[in-house]
Amino acid sequence: MAVTGSTWSPSSWRTYAAAQQPEWPSAERVEAVRAQLAAMPPLVFAGEARALSEALAKVGEGGAFLLQAGDCVESFYEFSAIAIREKLKIMLQMAAVLTYGATLPVVKVGRIAGQFVKPRSSPLERVGDEEIPSFRGHMVNGDAPTREARRPDPDRMLQGYHQSAATLNLVRAFTKGGFADLNQVHMWNQEFVASSPQGRRYEQLASEIERALRFMAACGIDLRDEPQLHQVDYWTSHEGLLLEYEEALTRRDSLTGDWYDCSAHMLWIGERTRQPDGAHVGFFAGVNNPIGVKLGPTATPEEALELCERLNPQRLSGRLTLITRMGSERVFELLPPILRAVREAEQPVVWVCDPMHANVFTSSSGRKTRHFDRVLGEIEGFFAAHRQAGTWPGGVHLEFTGDDVTECLGGSEDVQEAQLDSRYMSLCDPRLNARQSLDLAFRIAELMRSA
Ligand code: PEP
Ligand code: CO
């Protein structure tokens, strides 16, 4: 059953107000790039997006858990096989902890291979005594704090496309070609992680998984023939913010005739662009991929219902994921009325907690940061609110990295404010490092067991 209405087309968003779009210096050049992108191969196939919708439908029914995670924004410069492999490792580790710890399938979705554009709270940034345009992600402008670098350049969309293609190619090789084989479960633990308490806890869990595999083999089950043990499905996602780019990658599926945005398997609409009558909702209402929407502290139950109606009028399971980000202090106050309203309207949504974006503050040294305890606190509030409403806490949406960065405070190694400067690498929001991520996975597995 297709979601596309009769008046929808990939360019019909242009008749609505589009928030957070760059001020491109040349409309002709943007159109030329769009046309060029529209002629290039799709990055993902419609059939894959449909398979993800099915996996998400299972999450919505309480039979699986969604782990959606990755960089706040990808970089044109930090682009190597090692960087991609390290991101994959921490995802596989967290998924192993959650799958084994909660004995539920984990649907793995990266913020990867296309997460290159950022919404900004302010279009301008003060640098010294000058005001220059804000950084909007490498697919729009440069991050250096100069007026020159911040000029939007439509040709960056082409570079973003090519980097996404190369990233996805390697990710497919890693996930289908042996690296993600469950027999490699020990190999995903990086050295700097293995020496920590949660790294050792992971080693123990990995050994238990190995024992379970050996046990099944000893029972005479031929594990070589079980593809689920040797490969994983790892889906791509990004915020569908830059509508010229998304329009260009939107194609009609030759099998069904339906429209799919083939820039990623899943796309989400951000907190700043979810106006029900705006261009982003208008655009994503017509593509058949699974769609996410962020809901921040100002979201009302009525708004949530309106978004459900606009984006999923046919009430298809797995179509719509609501990603709530209320902040650790207010989650238990703000979330329950929304859960109740959506449940009573019988809208089949996947509920996901983003414990990152409403828990940001600026440290005394001027660094944007988040505290591990607040991140965990919002997830606990999310589980508690769902328990009360009788709905399924379907997953988490995180910003993390496989690297040993110091961007978020706390965790069992207790990163302090004074340490933030030592390895702060993010181009945008602070990410959990690999140890903090693993730590969080163990805590979430415990919450899932009690849910
Ligand atoms: C993000 O996910 O990086 C982001 C900007 O989130 P939000 O739209 O929820 O603020
Ligand atoms: Co972010």
Side-chain angles (χ1 to χ4, degrees), residues 109-127:
V109 179
R111 288 174 62 117
I112 197 167
Q115 175 57 16
F116 287 112
V117 191
K118 296 312 295 175
R120 301 316 304 244
S121 353
S122 163
L124 297 172
E125 179 184 335
R126 175 159 285 282
V127 174

Side-chain angles (χ1 to χ4, degrees), residues 72 111 118 357 370 399 429:
C72 180
R111 288 174 62 117
K118 296 312 295 175
H357 286 91
R370 298 162 168 148
E399 288 183 344
D429 290 341

